[in-house]
Amino acid sequence: MEKVTLHLKWFHQFQFAGYYAAFEKGYYRDVGLDVEILESTVGIKGIHEKVIRSTGQYGVGSNELIQERYAGKPVVVLAVIFQHSPSVLFFKKSSNIQSIHDLVGKRVMLTPRMDEIVAYLKKEGIKLSDLQLLQHRFKPDDLIQGRTDAYSGYATTQSYDFKKAGFPYVAYSPRVAGIDFYGDNFFTSEVEIREHPERVKAFREASLRGWQYAMSHQEEIADLIYEKYSQRNPKERLLFEAAQMTPLIQHVLVEMGYMNPGRWKHINDVYFELGMLPKNINLKGFIYDPNPPTNYDWIYYSFGILVFSFVIVGLIQWRRLNKQYSENLKKQVEVRTEELKHSNEYLQVLNQSLLNTLKELTEAQDRLLASEKLAVLGQLAAGMAHELNTPLGAIVSSNSSLSDFLNHKLNEVIETIVGFSKEDSLLFHKVLEESLKNQTFLEGKVERLIKKELAAKYINVEKMDLYGEHIQLVLETGAFRLNDELKTILESDRSLQILEAVARITNAFRSNQIISVASEKATHVIKALKSYLVSDKDILNGNTVVDIIFEMETILSLYHYNLTKVNIVKSYLTDKRCKGNRDKLNQVWINLLNNALQAMSYNGTLEIRIQWIDPWIKVSIIDSGIGIPDSIKGKIFDPFFTTKPDGGGMGLGLDICKKIISQMDGKIELEEIKQGTCFSVWLPNANS
């Protein structure tokens, strides 16, 4: 049994359930590990130094690891547990803070190292200097008792404290602004990985197995934590925390422990915008790979040595024979003939050896080509989680809101409507019709402007106080668009009940629309992915008729996540189809599109032009990037030539494209344009 230590970043609670499950269920013991789990009373402070100080140390961290890595600490993240950060900002629901922009000048408690909240505020145009920052005491009563106006915390735990106290709150997540950080992860040091690679792999697999068990047996693990580790939190709070963790971990949709290098790059970009890290720092060695790729360098070294040896041997042999020939040509004719015979046999054997070596190199190159194709498919899959997470997140959120309305608020609305008089019923139907007819979302600045106009217009109406419930409901329901009829509504004794009933019905209707739109988007993405991946038998076995426009549209659908800042210009000048292999052609289009997007840094104009130039179908992909220098234009189709940084590619992409197009009796070329880069592919017409 090898002794190792795991340092938690907080008190014992369900946040670390997977490690308790791995210990108690014997998963650590099964792989020969004696694990000691230590809780922290001061948060993440000091954990990184403990982990890198000696071998056998592991820790639970978060996104701050990328900063520690850049600062020189040899930390390596082994796996991510929370696919989405639970960090949120809490407000009192009935306070005068109606949106995130109302925080300016208010008292705010921010947790140290919760940088996604700072990035969220900055993206909304709020600087830390605009706030009254208070020291965070980790006591929810500070917000409940009004000692602060906003309070950062975890949606998994503080939400329980507020609900238990009956405190009405609003929680804002950075994800609504596109800032999607990871949550908890576990990590170790480079020394531990180098000196004990099998122990690291065993600890990682046992921990992930424990997490899978914990999320599938939440009540059992909650009882275990309460009875054996800590009674600081009641079982009810532990189960609440587990339920809130489920959509953040997504253990059913995403493989437990999965990490996407693109997400870490996104986190790096956010830190860069905050001025806390340089842009595009080197993440090599930071993300743990349990199955590193095979190194084929020895093949090339062996081949080089063999060729060099052959040249040296040939030169020595040639000089020796030439000297003998010059000194004694007449006397050694018969001897020379015999020697040439033996030399010829030797060269035949050597030639056969070279042919065998060349065959091995060809097979190695085929494996490299397959690896390049898998790398391209990996880049394609990297954005799929984001493409599906957005509509799925919208569906989950809207479904929760709709469920809350049906289970808790519907009866209240019905009772309210039944109690209306005839006049109030008419007013209710008028407001409801207007609200459902136009559900335009009001931005914070526009909302505040309309509030001020309504308060000034109805200054004599007591109900229209700038910070009252009436004015907020008038905005939510869209009743302000009724103009003069609004005054009639406000004069009713039950105006507040009318507006509240309409607001609740409208919110439910809006949630239903969001679910419909999000479901349609998710279905569209899945259909596009299915169309790309599923190939007919005849397409896989050889050339057939290919609809280029359909295939290009499918690929653009899959790349939607990377095209948010790209202006796509589609110049489809012909609908003729070409002759070729659909699967291989899609690999060409993906490779050329990837190169174009990287050249533009995913920001600019990308034109896809398809035209008929008898007897060819010409497909051109034109980007507005920096272009290709004249000095390297003659090398871009050479194998293993690349201008990308280390880890960006092996330099086989364009070489693969050229081979694929040549096999289909076509050609690919780099065309001269004034700005950017244009790659054109010429393919034979299907009817030629």
Side-chain angles (χ1 to χ4, degrees), residues 436-497:
L436 295 178
K437 180 174 63 178
N438 190 345
Q439 296 190 31
T440 303
F441 177 78
L442 298 176
E443 296 182 353
K445 185 181 293 184
V446 176
E447 180 179 302
R448 291 193 295 272
L449 183 62
I450 295 176
K451 273 188 178 182
K452 292 179 180 179
E453 291 176 356
L454 291 174
K457 183 176 180 180
Y458 298 99
I459 191 172
N460 296 325
V461 179
E462 183 179 350
K463 294 180 179 179
M464 293 298 281
D465 178 70
L466 185 60
Y467 300 103
E469 295 184 20
H470 273 79
I471 197 167
Q472 184 62 38
L473 289 171
V474 166
L475 287 174
E476 288 183 13
T477 59
F480 64 91
R481 294 190 294 269
L482 295 174
N483 298 325
D484 294 336
E485 293 178 329
L486 175 59
K487 187 175 181 181
T488 305
I489 297 170
L490 295 174
E491 289 174 352
S492 171
D493 293 335
R494 305 198 67 181
S495 57
L496 184 61
Q497 290 89 337

Side-chain angles (χ1 to χ4, degrees), residues 195-208:
E195 296 184 1
H196 305 280
E198 295 302 323
R199 184 165 71 188
V200 173
K201 189 172 184 179
F203 179 83
R204 180 181 184 273
E205 292 176 354
S207 298
L208 295 180

Side-chain angles (χ1 to χ4, degrees), residues 47-66:
I47 286 182
H48 310 99
E49 289 75 10
K50 294 177 182 177
V51 171
I52 65 177
R53 190 177 302 150
S54 61
T55 59
Q57 303 294 316
Y58 297 81
V60 177
S62 190
N63 305 288
E64 87 290 338
L65 283 176
I66 194 172

Side-chain angles (χ1 to χ4, degrees), residues 625-634 636 643 654 670 676-679:
I626 59 176
I628 300 176
D630 293 337
S631 59
I632 65 171
K633 286 183 178 179
I636 59 174
T643 59
L654 290 177
L670 174 66
T677 307
C678 174
F679 281 95

Side-chain angles (χ1 to χ4, degrees), residues 312-327:
I312 296 299
V313 170
L315 287 173
I316 294 174
Q317 183 76 351
W318 177 81
R319 290 188 64 183
R320 184 176 67 82
L321 294 176
N322 186 59
K323 183 178 180 180
Q324 291 177 356
Y325 178 80
S326 300
E327 292 178 351

